[in-house]
Amino acid sequence: MADLEEVESQTVFAEWSSRTPEAGRSLSRAGELADALSLRSGALPPLLGVVGSKGKGTTATYASATLRAAGLRVGTVLSPGLVTNLDRIRVDGLRISEPDYISLLREVATALRDLPPRTPSDGYVSPSGFFMISALKHFMRNGCDVAVIEAGIGGKSDELSLFNLTGVAMTEVFLEHEELLGHSVADIAANKVAVASRATKFINFLEQSHEAQQEIHRWSAAVGVQAKQVQRRSVQDRSEHLPPGHSGPNALLGYESGVDLLHSMGVKPEPPLSSVARSVTYPGRLSLHQYRNAWILVDSSISREGLSSAYAYAIKRFGQVPDRVIVSIPADKDYAGFIEELRAVESEVVFVNLPRTHLKYPLKETWPYNWSEASDLEELLQNRNVLAVGTATFSALVLHTIGVDSSRIF
């Protein structure tokens, strides 16, 4: 079998790795690729797009599980993958096989190379866009009735905007990727919600800041789409069927969006939330795993509030404070919030620096606690009760290190 990293380097990351300093992500080129693969000719099934700043993976998973529980064949795109990049592309909750994955990437790469050649200043097809387009081709080939797509970065600036979405689910929005999405929460919310078009039948969203909600309602009125908020009270009333911590609201958003997509397709009755929730196995979101002589609680929180919730949950599950808290978060996320929150914990605190990532990681001298490298991760996870919190990329590395099976998520 071919080496996966080498295949991905030659296909998914080929244009990105050869980009020039002046070249940026090109939606027009990605659109040409989608057209070359016959993805915008009306053949795609109904699509649910998931946008927001955090919790998108949980929302996409619960929406997909809801649609599957109703008897539909469901394609799911996750960004990033839970453990490996194969996890990004799933049909009925099961990730793509390695042979099919390699064949698919090579097919899409061939179509990309057959496009008109780029000049040095031309943009490139982003890796997340390459995965998304590849997944949609896979879903068409496998007869999916519907697809749920987690955006890479943004909304109108993401490849997700190339496709007519039947529905949009929007998780909480905060300041992130400011150089790409805008320098205020309002700008970022406007970018994300603009993935909806006049072809969209509904926009569901979680409680937002005032400025974000204004942008959601402004855009929904502009395109003539009803925007519905998933109420906090609904989350509280149904908490017994929802995952703990901050995943609960995202899960309910996914379920309600899945139900609304079913209704838009004329599919009834909808499956109960309780049965959908029982079907989901989604590691990396307050998931507990045994590793050698240690217990590891993994969470993909990137805000101070999420870290606080994860720490409290770890105490509940361990019956004591964690022996060690390992975190990994870019400088442009809630880095300052993490530093402040960790001042009050009674555990050893270690930052794990990730190499070769597109994320903007902080300088070592800005971190007031212990600092380590990704190569030390296996040792950091042994013989302790450990809470591991950070980006989805970091969670994936932790889950991979401790050997978690992510082949099926519902």
Side-chain angles (χ1 to χ4, degrees):
M1 182 64 66
D3 178 80
L4 281 183
E5 286 194 9
E6 182 61 26
V7 171
E8 290 172 348
S9 176
Q10 295 170 356
T11 57
V12 180
F13 300 100
E15 288 202 349
W16 177 82
S17 60
S18 64
R19 70 194 185 283
T20 59
E22 66 271 24
R25 180 184 194 179
S26 174
L27 293 188
S28 62
R29 188 165 176 80
E32 292 173 5
L33 176 61
D35 290 338
L37 294 166
S38 303
L39 296 180
R40 296 199 296 181
S41 59
L44 286 175
L47 305 177
L48 173 66
V50 182
V51 298
S53 298
K54 64 177 181 179
K56 297 190 297 293
T58 299
T59 298
T61 297
Y62 271 78
S64 299
T66 302
L67 296 162
R68 178 57 185 157
L72 300 184
R73 188 162 176 80
V74 185
T76 308
V77 180
L78 297 180
S79 181
L82 294 175
V83 176
T84 75
N85 283 326
L86 275 78
D87 293 325
R88 292 173 178 259
I89 303 173
R90 297 175 179 272
V91 173
D92 292 343
L94 186 67
R95 74 181 175 204
I96 189 172
S97 70
E98 189 169 318
D100 285 350
Y101 177 72
I102 291 172
S103 177
L104 179 66
L105 296 190
R106 287 174 170 164
E107 176 187 2
V108 175
T110 297
L112 182 57
R113 286 192 295 269
D114 287 342
L115 295 181
R118 297 182 298 159
T119 66
S121 62
D122 282 343
Y124 56 87
V125 174
S126 73
S128 62
F130 191 104
F131 280 121
M132 184 186 299
I133 289 168
S134 300
L136 289 171
K137 186 65 177 178
H138 183 67
F139 300 159
M140 286 181 61
R141 183 169 290 142
N142 283 272
C144 289
D145 302 308
V146 66
V148 179
I149 312 172
E150 179 183 350
I153 297 176
K156 71 177 181 181
S157 59
D158 190 81
E159 287 80 5
L160 184 59
S161 66
L162 297 172
F163 305 99
N164 289 326
L165 304 179
T166 304
V168 173
M170 189 165 175
T171 68
E172 186 181 350
V173 173
F174 54 77
L175 282 173
E176 59 163 353
H177 304 297
E178 294 176 51
E179 71 283 1
L180 298 175
L181 306 181
H183 296 286
S184 70
V185 170
D187 289 340
I188 294 171
N191 184 296
K192 291 178 184 289
V193 74
V195 77
S197 69
R198 293 192 178 276
T200 304
K201 298 183 182 301
F202 64 88
I203 301 171
N204 293 339
F205 64 96
L206 291 181
E207 182 178 357
Q208 307 281 342
S209 63
H210 175 69
E211 57 266 43
Q213 290 204 176
Q214 280 188 316
E215 293 300 326
I216 293 170
H217 289 299
R218 183 189 66 79
W219 185 256
S220 67
V223 296
V225 181
Q226 181 179 0
K228 179 184 73 175
Q229 180 180 337
V230 174
Q231 301 293 332
R232 185 182 295 272
R233 181 61 182 270
S234 298
V235 177
Q236 295 169 345
D237 290 346
R238 309 178 85 172
S239 60
E240 64 180 300
H241 302 307
L242 297 172
H246 290 272
S247 292
N250 296 306
L252 186 58
L253 173 65
Y255 171 73
E256 293 199 0
S257 298
V259 167
D260 286 346
L261 190 59
L262 289 172
H263 290 171
S264 75
M265 298 169 66
V267 178
K268 294 183 179 181
E270 67 266 18
L273 173 59
S274 56
S275 64
V276 171
R278 284 195 300 270
S279 74
V280 174
T281 303
Y282 193 57
R285 278 66 181 170
L286 288 179
S287 58
L288 186 64
H289 311 275
Q290 187 170 14
Y291 177 58
R292 298 181 181 175
N293 295 321
W295 283 98
I296 315 297
L297 183 68
V298 186
D299 193 49
S300 299
S301 294
I302 51 175
S303 68
R304 180 176 184 176
E305 185 181 20
L307 172 62
S308 176
S309 177
Y311 190 76
Y313 187 72
I315 294 173
K316 179 180 178 181
R317 294 302 305 266
F318 294 151
Q320 63 180 60
V321 298
D323 298 308
R324 176 177 288 154
V325 178
I326 58 174
V327 302
S328 188
I329 181 173
D332 58 351
K333 299 295 184 180
D334 195 7
Y335 182 61
F338 263 52
I339 291 174
E340 286 303 310
E341 186 65 29
L342 291 166
R343 294 190 194 283
V345 308
E346 302 175 35
S347 312
E348 178 191 6
V349 175
V350 183
F351 189 95
V352 177
N353 185 44
L354 298 188
R356 301 188 305 278
T357 177
H358 67 284
L359 302 172
K360 293 185 176 180
Y361 265 64
L363 299 174
K364 181 178 181 179
E365 54 266 28
T366 66
W367 181 252
Y369 313 111
N370 296 317
W371 182 276
S372 191
E373 300 296 327
S375 56
D376 301 319
L377 185 58
E378 187 173 354
E379 182 178 349
L380 290 172
L381 294 169
Q382 292 185 35
N383 303 315
R384 298 288 187 97
N385 288 332
V386 177
L387 170 63
V389 181
T391 62
T393 301
F394 175 62
S395 295
L397 180 60
V398 174
L399 295 171
H400 176 74
T401 301
I402 62 180
V404 171
D405 179 11
S406 59
S407 58
R408 181 178 289 280
I409 57 174
F410 59 84

